Amino acid sequence: FVSDDDPILPGALSRLVDVLETDLHALAAYPDWFVTGTDGELTEKMTVLEYSLVDMVRHHLCYPGPCTLIRRSAVERTGGWDSRWRWVADYDFWLRMGLQGPMVHVAAPLATWRRHPAGATLAAPRLALAREHVSVIEAFFSRSDLPPDVRAVESEAITSAWAIAFVVAMDGLETHGVPRFQIEDRLARYVGPMPIAGARGSA
């Protein structure tokens, strides 16, 4: 899984292949990754959480990211990308794959993701993107084949989706006065960006 402007790092594929050849139950292997700027400079390191389908649903988090290596059989069983989703098709795909079996986190930065204004995520219409975050999780919970532990976190998952939708919708909009809502992301310290020492713009 590699976007056209997100180079992977040397040795990435062999490292991920080794993981899948060792863990025959894993359907996919996903690494940590670097955020790069418009000119390709490293700005942040993203350290991803260990895989849990329940937590990925509950917290509305897309664990697999750039350079995720997937078994062909898992893609065929999952059915590929759902064309209903323009901006969150990856999250929907990983949720559906998670129903087929586990994925494994590789604790090493093996990929990059370029942040620039013309990128699909940043350039997406904010309200449309916000609505899709809610719609995709509602569609997921309309399924009749969810395991009990996933079904048990439905209310938390819907709440998280709406919280993300609020943040997405407000991103880039000019607001005045005191905000009506304040959202504190208690997971930020686990999944938030880690500044690269010496990188431009890092703390």
Side-chain angles (χ1 to χ4, degrees):
F1 177 66
V2 180
S3 297
D4 57 3
D5 61 347
D6 299 335
I8 63 175
L9 301 181
L13 289 182
S14 59
R15 177 75 179 271
L16 296 172
V17 167
D18 286 345
V19 169
L20 291 183
E21 288 183 341
T22 301
D23 188 344
L24 299 181
H25 296 290
L27 302 184
Y30 61 95
D32 299 332
W33 41 279
F34 291 116
V35 178
T36 66
T38 303
D39 297 326
E41 71 280 11
L42 301 182
T43 60
E44 300 162 348
K45 177 186 174 184
M46 300 301 292
T47 301
V48 191
L49 295 177
E50 296 301 317
Y51 179 74
S52 163
L53 175 60
V54 171
D55 286 341
M56 193 163 71
V57 174
R58 171 193 282 132
H59 300 304
H60 202 80
L61 290 173
C62 190
Y63 288 10
C67 198
T68 297
L69 188 65
I70 317 163
R71 296 189 192 276
R72 180 188 296 272
S73 58
V75 176
E76 292 171 347
R77 290 201 305 272
T78 302
W81 249 227
D82 187 330
S83 60
R84 286 181 297 171
W85 313 118
R86 172 66 181 85
W87 296 286
V88 296
D90 54 343
Y91 183 54
D92 166 73
F93 178 76
W94 302 124
L95 291 180
R96 289 184 287 115
M97 180 173 285
L99 297 175
Q100 306 291 333
M103 296 174 246
V104 61
H105 170 226
V106 179
L110 302 177
T112 65
W113 179 76
R114 191 183 305 273
R115 177 183 285 134
H116 58 94
T121 301
L122 297 182
R126 308 322 291 171
L127 289 179
L129 176 57
R131 291 189 185 102
E132 200 162 285
H133 273 286
V134 174
S135 296
V136 74
I137 203 68
E138 289 179 340
F140 180 73
F141 277 102
S142 71
R143 300 175 62 108
S144 60
D145 60 345
L146 299 182
D149 57 345
V150 172
R151 179 67 66 186
V153 300
E154 180 173 3
S155 62
E156 293 176 82
I158 296 295
T159 299
S160 294
W162 276 101
I164 294 296
F166 170 78
V167 172
V168 167
M170 296 301 292
D171 184 36
L173 297 182
E174 193 172 325
T175 57
H176 302 278
V178 178
R180 181 178 176 188
F181 300 105
Q182 179 176 337
I183 295 178
E184 179 182 354
D185 185 356
R186 290 176 294 175
L187 289 175
R189 59 185 171 139
Y190 300 110
V191 299
M194 302 285 291
I196 299 298
R200 187 171 64 191
S202 62

